[in-house]
Amino acid sequence: MIPNYKEQLYTSVQVAKMGAGIFGSREDPSHRDALLAVLNEPRFGEAARKFAERYQGQDVSEALMQITRQIDAVLGSDSATTFVAR
Amino acid sequence: MIHAALKDQGHTFALAARELWNVHHAFSGTPVQYYQAPFKQGPTPLLATHECHAHLLYSAGYADPQELTVLVSAWIGVLGSFRPDLVIFDHSPTALLASRCLPVRRVIIGSGFLVPTKGQPMGVLPDAPTGPGPLSRMTNDEAAVLGNINKVLAAFGLEKLDALQDMYAVADDEVLLTSEELDPFRRGPVDYSSVWPARSFPEQNWPEHSNRRIFAYLDDFPGLKQLLTDLESLDATTLIYAPGIPSKIRDAHTSARLEFLDGPTNLEHLAKNATCSFPMEPTRAWTGSCSRGFPRS
């Protein structure tokens, strides 16, 4: 991971903390060593699989339905006009 | 995907985004009214460090009450022209402020970083210095930003806030699109959505000859050419999604080991047989990569 701004940096730190990756700087002259480490050292894959196992039962469709239910509960009606601001 | 699910239930949907040039990737096929989101332009006031939410707001138009008044007014115009029943705020604090002028319901949605923790000072960043000195500085800076917000609220005839965290108190609900492990604020036992409901993009298969497989999501930066050279030197096949990089660089580095994708791809599908990923944008790419069990460099 080569974070560019704060949000990306914090996510990279969290991934590195759980042992599933390495992050570098955009100023690093080369990223070859980091790439080789992640490709060749099993511990990174093991940490990533451990995370994946924890969320194995998570389903994107179900998560979407849950969010939709939350929004409907806020609206208290079946149909409405919805606006996303970002 | 959320908009499609809401549309299926009879909702009418609009989107205001800062960058509209690529939203068609996510919203094609569903009727959506688009608006240009107002955002801070012009010189950004320089801060030595960003340590708390007030500092982020300060750099986003909250340093000057007159500038903030214009941004709030512009958001009132955008929201007022669509007259929604509900607004979903994907980190849009000024829109949230402007929504106080309208009879709407509000849901805040975002990754952990984009849904700041409450408190005084609020949203203290994970790498902020600790101790009485920094705390006092953050408290003072937050008071200055709060003062600017209250000047703007007064200009629109709205009630002032007692604390910066009150900005977010009008939300009817929050959706945290992250997990306990990835939330930089580590806010303890709360309801995390844990998955990012991204649109289903076209599936891309790995080249047949590939043994070790890397997915890279890159943008243009000074070290890009070296990174591509590094990737090419590995005994691995790399698929790259790199929107916005010059075609000259893309053409120069395309080879049997490096293949550039023409558009967004289905990460879950790629992740099934990948060895590792190299995401430039780690937050949202996580769902499709590491959550399927492959590591990231």
Side-chain angles (χ1 to χ4, degrees):
Chain A
M1 300 163 282
I2 311 178
N4 187 24
Y5 49 84
K6 285 267 187 184
E7 180 187 9
Q8 295 181 350
L9 171 66
Y10 296 147
T11 304
S12 302
V13 168
Q14 296 301 111
V15 173
K17 271 185 190 170
M18 73 171 84
I22 296 175
F23 70 92
S25 159
R26 290 165 85 90
E27 280 74 46
D28 289 347
S30 170
H31 300 279
R32 188 175 151 78
D33 289 347
L35 287 162
L36 284 172
V38 172
L39 277 175
N40 295 329
E41 294 177 30
R43 62 190 170 103
F44 293 105
E46 286 161 11
R49 278 188 290 278
K50 194 173 159 191
F51 178 88
E53 281 163 17
R54 182 171 176 194
Y55 294 99
Q56 204 167 24
Q58 296 276 351
D59 177 73
V60 173
S61 302
E62 176 49 37
L64 181 64
M65 289 311 299
Q66 174 57 34
I67 293 168
T68 309
R69 282 194 291 271
Q70 275 183 256
I71 290 168
D72 278 341
V74 168
L75 276 168
S77 65
D78 291 333
S79 64
T81 54
T82 302
F83 196 99
V84 173
R86 55 182 317 203
Chain B
M1 284 175 81
I2 292 172
H3 72 284
L6 292 171
K7 182 78 180 64
D8 288 345
Q9 295 189 13
H11 293 243
T12 308
F13 195 83
L15 169 79
R18 176 177 169 145
E19 293 186 27
L20 291 167
W21 67 275
N22 60 354
V23 294
H24 62 278
H25 284 306
F27 293 93
S28 63
T30 306
V32 177
Q33 286 188 38
Y34 295 104
Y35 294 86
Q36 176 63 57
F39 64 95
K40 165 145 185 70
Q41 298 172 73
T44 301
L46 288 176
L47 282 177
T49 57
H50 289 84
E51 298 170 345
C52 61
H53 194 60
H55 291 157
L56 302 178
L57 294 177
Y58 188 86
S59 299
Y62 289 65
D64 177 358
Q66 289 181 312
E67 186 178 3
L68 183 58
T69 300
V70 172
L71 290 173
V72 169
S73 175
W75 266 115
I76 291 170
V78 168
L79 294 173
S81 65
F82 187 67
R83 296 187 174 278
D85 297 301
L86 178 134
V87 184
I88 299 171
F89 299 92
D90 181 2
H91 188 62
S92 195
T94 312
L96 184 65
L97 212 52
S99 76
R100 289 172 177 260
C101 289
L102 299 160
V104 293
R105 305 290 177 89
R106 304 167 185 87
V107 173
I108 293 173
I109 194 166
S111 67
F113 178 72
L114 297 178
V115 183
T117 50
K118 311 302 181 290
Q120 288 183 272
M122 78 172 294
V124 176
L125 299 177
D127 54 353
T130 55
L135 187 64
S136 170
R137 183 174 63 240
M138 284 186 260
T139 303
N140 289 338
D141 292 346
E142 181 171 291
V145 167
L146 178 64
N148 289 343
I149 289 171
N150 280 335
K151 283 178 192 166
V152 174
L153 292 176
F156 288 99
L158 297 167
E159 200 175 326
K160 72 170 190 174
L161 308 179
D162 293 328
L164 190 60
Q165 63 179 354
D166 294 345
M167 257 181 89
Y168 294 83
V170 291
D172 295 284
D173 205 349
E174 285 183 354
V175 179
L176 271 170
L177 295 171
T178 186
S179 66
E180 188 182 348
E181 297 90 338
L182 294 176
D183 182 2
F185 291 120
R186 304 303 294 254
R187 63 196 87 201
V190 295
D191 286 334
Y192 289 103
S193 175
S194 298
V195 290
W196 191 283
R199 184 171 175 222
S200 184
F201 289 109
E203 293 181 356
Q204 169 79 34
N205 291 320
W206 291 96
E208 296 233 343
H209 64 273
S210 58
N211 180 18
R212 299 201 296 179
R213 297 159 173 172
I214 301 171
F215 172 71
Y217 177 16
L218 307 174
D219 65 7
D220 194 11
F221 73 108
L224 177 64
K225 286 182 191 172
Q226 181 58 49
L227 174 59
L228 293 172
T229 303
D230 291 343
L231 287 165
E232 202 167 6
S233 73
L234 303 172
D235 179 21
T237 300
T238 303
L239 291 180
I240 303 168
Y241 176 53
I245 73 161
S247 56
K248 206 165 83 176
I249 294 180
R250 179 181 165 136
D251 294 345
H253 288 273
T254 297
S255 69
R257 286 180 174 173
L258 295 191
E259 186 177 325
F260 288 84
L261 304 175
D262 292 326
T265 189
N266 185 317
L267 282 178
E268 288 201 332
H269 180 75
L270 272 189
K272 284 175 190 164
N273 294 303
T275 312
C276 87
S277 72
F278 195 96
M280 190 68 81
E281 205 287 66
T283 310
R284 298 180 191 196
W286 176 265
T287 299
S289 56
C290 201
S291 62
R292 289 289 175 256
F294 68 99
R296 308 198 302 183
S297 176

